[in-house]
């Protein structure tokens, strides 16, 4: 899935705080260290992406779209030399390459795209979010592990210090291992979408930190490699990418429930032809990628599909108790009279 | 209440321990790893052991007649693979949320005590997830 380098050219970063996340609330962002000189902490990344673009023509005539970065003393000078990880990641998308370049610079901030956000602290990934992926609180609340009120209370008390994760453990509301397992699952899940083909134009907002705080930082290289491995795994199971985004429905006539696990059965029960895998993931309180994998496995087994890839859906037969009344061919006059009489009697 | 790293380091204290990792078995992701890996790559090992764990966790052969796993991901508690030179212990971690995680401990067959390791790993996996 090589994407032309131009598609990934990073736009200038919006100055308004809420503009940074077209896909969600801007409230997640905060910039604890205001930029010096009022020029904003945002720095366009055109040079870095161009330098490591997968197609490699390191043409630097992109100045029209790229205002000069503010001359912050802490902003590393642009390493324009095309060295670095691209030899390891020839087939990685440009988003992964951008992430790696930011990690090399030990950057702190948030990488924003259309499909999500990846938070970096000193070059390591500390958090990721995507609208496709259930967040930590959704995962914990769906299983009844942590009530939304308890979560909100922790956010209210520790959010401004960016220590919500630490707070939950210190207050004994979550075990450290639990928090790490659940958060890592959510982080890699969201990063898979945020770094995926739907990322669109990327922006990097320097200095932004997430209120959850660092829990168990992972290297950007691990995140980029894992996202690629996950994509390959899906295609190995069943090469039908549209299953990820389309509504899914149980295949008519497939009654082989014995061949699927209890986890998959729960998924099948929610596959009504309207819900997408990501919607189902939110309902089940599972990482979205887990649902994608199960959908592909079920599709490979012929148990699930998109509603459009077979013959047009037959109209669902009406329940028998409706009888002829609902067919509207001719109204049941006697029934209507009785209804009217009953209603009038209650006036 | 140890975190992932403390749990792995504790597992490595067992006699004969060569390597340990915490792995998510649906995606094959290694959440953490210490020590050696049988094929020199913890991530590749995680992907392979995850596949084994998934089959055990999902196949009806191991879940029939089991009624005590409504909350857990799987009725399987652990998997033991014995090779000519080592033991591989895969212990499922029971969490109260949907996690699908296991701890993988690789042991030297000549020096390890399988029964002891199994009990200690069970204890570790429980403490990892319980507050």
């Amino acid at each position: 899935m090589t994407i032309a380098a131009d598609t990934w050219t990073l736009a200038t970063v919006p100055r308004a705080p809420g503009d940074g996340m077209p896909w969600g609330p801007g409230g997640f962002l905060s910039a604890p260290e205001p930029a010096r000189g009022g020029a904003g902490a945002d720095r366009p990344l055109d040079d870095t992406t161009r330098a490591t673009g997968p197609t490699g023509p390191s043409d630097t005539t992109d100045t029209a779209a790229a205002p000069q970065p503010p001359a912050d003393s802490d902003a590393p000078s642009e390493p324009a030399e095309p060295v670095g990880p691209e030899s390891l990641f020839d087939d990685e998308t440009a988003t992964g390459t951008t992430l790696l370049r930011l990690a090399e610079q030990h950057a702190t901030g948030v990488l924003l795209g259309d499909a999500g956000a990846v938070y970096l602290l000193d070059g390591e990934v500390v958090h990721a979010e995507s609208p496709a992926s259930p967040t930590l609180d959704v995962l914990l609340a769906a299983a009844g592990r942590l009530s939304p009120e308890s979560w909100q209370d922790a956010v209210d008390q520790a959010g401004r210090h960016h220590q919500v994760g630490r707070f939950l453990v210190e207050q004994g509301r979550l075990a450290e291992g639990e928090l790490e397992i659940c958060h890592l699952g959510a982080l890699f899940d969201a990063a898979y979408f945020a770094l995926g083909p739907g990322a669109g134009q990327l922006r990097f907002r320097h200095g932004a930190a997430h209120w959850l705080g660092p829990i168990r930082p992972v290297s950007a290289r691990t995140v980029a490699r894992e996202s690629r491995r996950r994509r390959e795994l899906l295609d190995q199971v069943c090469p039908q990418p549209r299953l990820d985004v389309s509504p899914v429905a149980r295949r008519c006539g497939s009654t082989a429930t014995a061949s699927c696990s209890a986890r998959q059965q729960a998924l099948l029960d929610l596959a009504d032809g309207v819900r997408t895998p990501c919607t189902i993931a939110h309902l089940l309180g599972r990482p979205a990628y887990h649902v994608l994998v199960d959908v592909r496995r079920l599709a490979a087994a012929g148990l699930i599909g998109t509603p459009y890839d077979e013959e047009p859906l037959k109209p669902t037969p009406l329940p028998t108790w409706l009888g002829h009344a609902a067919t509207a061919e001719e109204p049941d006059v006697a029934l209507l009279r009785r209804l009217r009489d009953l209603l009038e009697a209650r006036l | 209440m140890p975190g992932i790293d403390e749990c792995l380091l504790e597992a490595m204290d067992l006699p004969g321990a060569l390597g340990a990792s915490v792995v998510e078995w649906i995606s094959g992701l290694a959440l953490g790893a210490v020590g050696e890996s049988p094929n020199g790559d913890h991530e590749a090992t995680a992907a392979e052991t995850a596949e084994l764990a998934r089959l055990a966790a999902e196949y009806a052969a191991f879940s029939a007649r089991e009624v005590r796993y409504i909350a857990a991901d799987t009725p399987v508690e652990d998997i033991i693979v014995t090779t000519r030179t080592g033991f591989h212990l895969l212990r499922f971690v029971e969490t109260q949320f949907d996690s699908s995680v296991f701890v993988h401990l690789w042991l030297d067959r000549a020096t390890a005590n399988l029964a002891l390791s199994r009990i200690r790993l069970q204890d570790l996996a429980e403490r990892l997830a319980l507050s």
Side-chain angles (χ1 to χ4, degrees):
Chain A
M1 54 180 77
T2 309
I3 293 144
D6 288 341
T7 318
W8 300 97
T9 305
L10 295 160
T12 55
V13 185
R15 293 285 181 248
D19 288 349
M21 289 174 142
W23 44 268
F28 290 123
L29 283 175
S30 62
E33 293 181 20
R36 271 156 278 172
D42 313 327
R43 198 159 53 83
L45 287 176
D46 296 62
D47 296 346
T48 52
T49 16
R50 288 300 172 100
T52 57
T55 47
S58 54
D59 182 5
T60 53
T61 58
D62 53 356
T63 49
Q68 285 302 308
D72 281 357
S73 58
D74 60 343
S77 58
E78 293 300 325
E81 73 279 11
V83 294
E86 67 267 26
S87 56
L88 280 173
F89 291 91
D90 284 338
D91 52 344
E92 182 55 291
T93 56
T95 46
T97 316
T98 307
L99 184 70
L100 291 171
R101 180 50 64 112
L102 288 166
E104 277 184 2
Q105 297 170 355
H106 296 277
T108 295
V110 56
L111 185 63
L112 290 159
D114 292 346
V118 177
Y119 289 79
L120 294 164
L121 178 65
D122 196 22
E124 286 190 306
V125 178
V126 286
H127 190 64
E129 287 179 342
S130 167
S133 165
T135 49
L136 191 59
D137 54 322
V138 172
L139 296 176
L140 291 168
R145 181 64 191 90
L146 196 67
S147 69
E149 294 78 29
S150 188
W151 176 268
Q152 188 58 47
D153 179 52
V155 173
D156 290 343
Q157 294 202 40
R160 77 186 68 166
H161 308 298
H162 306 116
Q163 292 282 328
V164 174
R166 196 52 35 211
F167 180 82
L168 286 167
V169 173
E170 282 171 1
Q171 294 283 309
R173 301 189 196 181
L174 282 179
E176 189 170 354
E178 267 184 319
L179 178 65
E180 287 181 356
I181 289 172
C182 196
H183 179 250
L184 281 177
L187 187 158
F188 280 98
D189 191 46
Y192 169 77
F193 295 100
L195 302 175
Q201 286 196 327
L202 292 176
R203 301 165 294 280
F204 189 70
R205 192 173 183 84
H206 269 278
H210 194 273
W211 43 259
L212 198 55
I215 292 172
R216 196 171 189 278
V218 283
S219 78
R221 180 171 295 251
T222 306
V223 172
R225 193 164 49 207
E226 176 67 14
S227 294
R228 186 184 53 171
R229 193 188 65 80
R230 289 185 171 212
R231 218 167 298 288
E232 290 169 358
L233 177 64
L234 284 185
D235 284 339
Q236 279 171 20
V237 174
C238 175
Q240 289 185 42
R242 68 176 167 166
L243 284 170
D244 298 352
V245 289
S246 163
V248 287
R250 194 183 184 128
R251 278 275 163 83
C252 300
S254 65
T255 55
T257 50
S259 65
C260 68
S261 67
R263 295 176 57 86
Q264 293 173 329
Q265 188 59 48
L267 194 167
L268 274 180
D269 291 343
L270 290 174
D272 59 356
V274 178
R275 300 184 179 116
T276 63
C278 290
T279 315
I280 295 175
H282 279 81
L283 290 173
L284 289 173
R286 291 182 197 167
Y289 181 80
H290 290 190
V291 174
L292 295 189
V293 172
D294 273 336
V295 164
R296 297 271 186 123
R297 287 196 205 284
L298 289 167
L303 295 176
I304 210 170
T306 61
Y308 319 111
D309 57 5
E310 293 181 34
E311 72 279 3
L313 279 181
K314 293 171 207 145
T316 317
L318 288 169
T320 47
W321 54 265
L322 272 173
H324 296 294
T327 56
E329 284 166 0
E330 52 185 86
D332 187 339
V333 180
L335 178 69
L336 290 172
R337 284 220 173 95
R338 279 170 57 206
L339 263 175
R340 188 194 59 189
D341 293 346
L342 278 170
L343 287 168
E344 283 176 354
R346 294 177 68 90
L347 277 176
Chain B
M1 290 190 287
I4 291 174
D5 287 330
E6 291 85 355
C7 170
L8 291 176
L9 290 175
E10 218 174 302
M12 289 298 287
D13 280 343
L14 283 164
L18 298 171
S21 54
V22 175
V23 180
E24 191 184 73
W25 51 262
I26 292 191
S27 61
L29 165 71
L31 299 180
V34 293
E36 296 173 61
S37 159
N39 55 12
D41 179 354
H42 278 294
E43 288 179 25
T45 304
E48 290 174 9
T49 51
E51 195 61 13
L52 174 66
R54 187 181 69 79
L55 294 180
E58 293 192 339
Y59 274 179
F62 305 116
S63 65
R65 296 170 189 272
E66 295 271 353
V67 289
R68 266 199 62 250
Y69 80 103
I70 291 105
D73 294 324
T74 169
V76 180
E77 289 186 346
D78 57 23
I79 302 169
I80 300 169
V81 177
T82 308
T83 68
R84 295 189 196 286
T85 58
F87 296 118
H88 293 267
L89 264 171
L90 275 58
R91 176 84 206 183
F92 287 92
V93 180
E94 234 177 273
T95 52
Q96 289 181 40
F97 53 91
D98 195 284
S99 67
S100 50
V101 163
F102 66 88
V103 184
H104 173 207
L105 177 62
W106 180 36
L107 297 157
D108 178 17
R109 189 167 170 176
T111 53
N113 179 335
L114 181 60
L116 172 78
S117 303
R118 184 171 172 272
I119 292 168
R120 292 284 297 277
L121 197 60
Q122 173 182 2
D123 174 53
L124 261 180
E126 281 171 3
R127 280 193 288 130
L128 179 63
L130 292 179
S131 44

